[in-house]
Amino acid sequence: MSPFTGSAARTPSWEHLRVDLTDGVATVTLARPEKLNALTFGAYADLRDLLAELSRERSVRALVLAGEGRGFCSGGDVDEIIGATLSMDTAQLLDFNRMTGQVVRAIRECPFPVIAAVQGVAAGAGAVLALAADFRVADPTARFAFLFTRVGLSGGDMGAAYLLPRVVGLGHATRLLMLGDPVRAPEAERIGLISELTEEGRADEAAHQLAHRLAQGPALAYAQTKALLTSELDMPLAASVELDASTQALLMTGEDYAEFHAAFTEKRPPKWSGR
């Protein structure tokens, strides 16, 4: 996303999220523990807008997305979203569904790694938010459920039919999106849905350890790697290797590439600038 902004100031606070920025790591917490962090229209909009702001500021080097309490996110609030959509016309429904997709695109397209710290339920839209992250760090209580067909809707919601086959393969994705059955942590790790399985109650800690490791690394290299992983999903090999070549040529003119050589020569750790 472009770092150039208009005259609007940074949003000082967010009604539906708790946001902390420390040492280059943003922690974004869904904070409705009494509802297992069920999403509302406002929560979707806040996530979309927050990710855009953080992407423009370039002060974030890694982001942890977490849920307060005993669950990550139980999906869309049954009363505040599902009930409300029954009275919407087609144009309003299209606006809403486009907004949910914009959140997923923002997670995939932001120039920093996103780590989902998952404990307890990650269901419906909550499962897709975790799926869109670059890393899913989960404890043994985690369970993922893509519940869209269970409410009479397509399993391909919010980009799930695009992302899930690329993470776990078409066979597993078909089963998960068609049936909506929950996948508990051991199976999620086996099929590749979990990046790291921690001890119980340690997902948040492990996610932050990973985030700080990433924040101290070569941010531009990470940003370009993420961009290539997303862009090349639909490219033929010839286009992919050409994009790789162009990206590497640009990064070879950067400060971090020269810093690695200097550090190696001087037998010291590199001091990454993200440039």
Side-chain angles (χ1 to χ4, degrees), residues 129-196:
L129 293 181
L131 175 66
D134 301 289
F135 301 89
R136 284 159 296 284
V137 177
D139 81 1
T141 69
R143 59 189 188 279
F144 300 83
F146 298 86
L147 297 174
F148 306 108
T149 61
R150 296 286 187 96
V151 300
L153 297 177
S154 164
D157 195 27
M158 297 172 63
Y162 178 89
L163 291 171
L164 193 59
R166 290 162 169 82
V167 173
V168 303
L170 180 60
H172 290 306
T174 300
R175 172 171 59 92
L176 299 182
L177 294 183
M178 285 274 193
L179 301 178
D181 291 341
V183 180
R184 298 188 179 277
E187 183 187 1
E189 182 184 34
R190 178 178 63 80
I191 66 177
L193 187 54
I194 288 177
S195 310
E196 178 183 350

Side-chain angles (χ1 to χ4, degrees), residues 210-245:
L210 175 57
H212 283 285
R213 173 184 172 184
L214 290 164
Q216 293 166 9
L220 186 57
Y222 292 154
Q224 292 305 309
T225 301
K226 176 173 180 172
L228 293 179
L229 285 167
T230 299
S231 299
E232 293 182 18
L233 287 172
D234 299 312
M235 285 186 180
L237 178 60
S240 294
V241 296
E242 179 61 24
L243 182 57
D244 287 352

Side-chain angles (χ1 to χ4, degrees), residues 7 16 32 40 48 60 79 90 102 114 126 143 154 170 189 194 222 264 266 275:
S7 57
H16 304 282
R32 296 182 77 205
T40 62
R48 176 199 60 195
V60 174
D79 294 322
T90 303
Q102 287 164 359
V114 176
R143 59 189 188 279
S154 164
L170 180 60
E189 182 184 34
I194 288 177
Y222 292 154
F264 182 83
E266 297 168 13
R275 297 178 180 275

Side-chain angles (χ1 to χ4, degrees), residues 3-270:
F4 299 102
T5 65
S7 57
R10 177 182 178 183
T11 305
S13 62
W14 299 89
E15 180 179 349
H16 304 282
L17 308 168
R18 191 167 65 250
V19 182
D20 175 75
L21 178 56
T22 304
D23 297 329
V25 174
T27 302
V28 179
T29 305
L30 306 173
R32 296 182 77 205
E34 72 285 357
K35 292 286 189 79
L36 290 174
N37 303 312
L39 298 165
T40 62
F41 295 118
Y44 278 117
D46 276 2
L47 279 169
R48 176 199 60 195
D49 297 344
L50 171 64
L51 287 162
E53 284 195 15
L54 295 179
S55 297
R56 288 193 298 267
E57 287 182 5
R58 302 294 167 94
S59 58
V60 174
R61 293 191 168 215
L63 184 147
V64 174
L65 180 62
E68 183 178 337
R70 58 190 178 90
F72 175 71
C73 175
S74 59
D77 188 286
V78 173
D79 294 322
E80 296 192 35
I81 287 187
I82 296 178
T85 54
L86 294 174
S87 62
M88 289 183 176
D89 61 28
T90 303
Q92 292 171 317
L93 291 169
L94 184 57
D95 284 342
F96 165 63
N97 283 284
R98 281 176 171 162
M99 177 174 66
T100 66
Q102 287 164 359
V103 174
V104 170
R105 285 190 59 187
I107 294 172
R108 293 303 317 144
E109 295 174 2
C110 62
F112 42 77
V114 176
I115 304 117
V118 183
Q119 78 289 334
V121 65
V128 183
L129 293 181
L131 175 66
D134 301 289
F135 301 89
R136 284 159 296 284
V137 177
D139 81 1
T141 69
R143 59 189 188 279
F144 300 83
F146 298 86
L147 297 174
F148 306 108
T149 61
R150 296 286 187 96
V151 300
L153 297 177
S154 164
D157 195 27
M158 297 172 63
Y162 178 89
L163 291 171
L164 193 59
R166 290 162 169 82
V167 173
V168 303
L170 180 60
H172 290 306
T174 300
R175 172 171 59 92
L176 299 182
L177 294 183
M178 285 274 193
L179 301 178
D181 291 341
V183 180
R184 298 188 179 277
E187 183 187 1
E189 182 184 34
R190 178 178 63 80
I191 66 177
L193 187 54
I194 288 177
S195 310
E196 178 183 350
L197 183 60
T198 73
E199 296 177 2
E200 187 167 345
R202 299 290 297 277
D204 188 72
E205 177 185 351
H208 279 89
Q209 288 176 349
L210 175 57
H212 283 285
R213 173 184 172 184
L214 290 164
Q216 293 166 9
L220 186 57
Y222 292 154
Q224 292 305 309
T225 301
K226 176 173 180 172
L228 293 179
L229 285 167
T230 299
S231 299
E232 293 182 18
L233 287 172
D234 299 312
M235 285 186 180
L237 178 60
S240 294
V241 296
E242 179 61 24
L243 182 57
D244 287 352
S246 301
T247 301
Q248 294 296 54
L250 288 171
L251 290 177
M252 285 174 177
T253 68
E255 294 177 13
D256 279 348
Y257 188 63
E259 167 60 15
F260 166 77
H261 184 265
F264 182 83
T265 303
E266 297 168 13
K267 295 181 171 53
R268 60 172 175 80

